Amino acid sequence: MTRAKRVEPWALLLQAHSSLVDRLEHELLDELGLPLTWYEVLLYLVRAEDGRLRMTDLAGSLLLSKSGVTRLVDRMEATGLVERGVCSSDRRGSFAVITNKGRALHRKAAPIHLRGVEEHFLGHLSAAERRALTTGLRKVVAAAGLAEQAS
């Protein structure tokens, strides 16, 4: 097998990811004025216990630096979607906490995002292809030690 054929899955994954992110971003911006990264923050916070995550955990989930997530949360806080909470066990630590306004926006955005994921990604795959892709990607995530972040 040629080197190009061996790395083809990687190249296709990058192309698919870039294309899908652009489309999902466009749809959320057009319909709600919501950037995709903001939606991802709201999604992680909605799923988190008590609607809060440590800033360092949020940065890891979003694959952003600590300063990058701080700036992102600052912008979202200014719009009332999240607020900051103080960590009682570690004064240096802080939380991002979803607000009622953030929850309401997530409820509006979730169907748009899911529709886009189905239309631009999942809808092009058979059930068997989805299972195979899920199995393969779980192996990669587990090998990278990211299994707890992916669920």
Side-chain angles (χ1 to χ4, degrees):
M1 179 181 288
T2 67
R3 185 177 187 170
K5 281 291 183 192
R6 284 185 40 178
V7 298
E8 184 179 20
W10 172 249
L12 289 171
L13 177 67
L14 294 177
Q15 290 172 352
H17 179 268
S18 177
S19 173
L20 291 167
V21 166
D22 287 348
R23 287 179 180 181
L24 296 173
E25 171 99 29
H26 180 76
E27 290 171 0
L28 284 170
L29 283 171
D30 276 359
E31 295 187 43
L32 294 175
L34 181 67
L36 183 59
T37 53
W38 288 35
Y39 174 77
E40 290 175 353
V41 168
L42 296 175
L43 178 64
Y44 282 115
L45 292 176
V46 162
R47 290 179 173 177
E49 185 176 332
D50 298 328
R52 65 178 50 224
L53 282 173
R54 288 180 65 96
M55 294 290 283
T56 54
D57 295 334
L58 186 56
S61 296
L62 296 170
L63 305 178
L64 290 174
S65 67
K66 188 176 176 189
S67 62
V69 81
T70 296
R71 289 189 300 274
L72 177 61
V73 169
D74 286 345
R75 291 190 301 272
M76 292 179 73
E77 187 175 29
T79 66
L81 298 173
V82 299
E83 57 191 21
R84 297 210 187 226
V86 178
C87 179
S88 59
S89 63
D90 179 3
R91 291 183 178 242
R92 295 172 297 161
S94 64
F95 287 94
V97 183
I98 193 165
T99 63
N100 288 337
K101 182 178 178 181
R103 286 183 189 282
L105 184 56
H106 174 265
R107 281 191 298 276
K108 288 180 185 175
I112 297 166
H113 182 258
L114 292 173
R115 180 191 69 216
V117 169
E118 181 64 39
E119 180 180 333
H120 306 302
F121 180 58
L122 298 174
H124 299 285
L125 303 173
S126 69
E129 290 168 331
R130 288 181 189 192
R131 285 190 300 275
L133 183 60
T134 300
T135 299
L137 291 175
R138 277 191 180 141
K139 289 178 182 180
V140 172
V141 168
L146 301 173
E148 64 280 352
Q149 293 179 15
S151 51

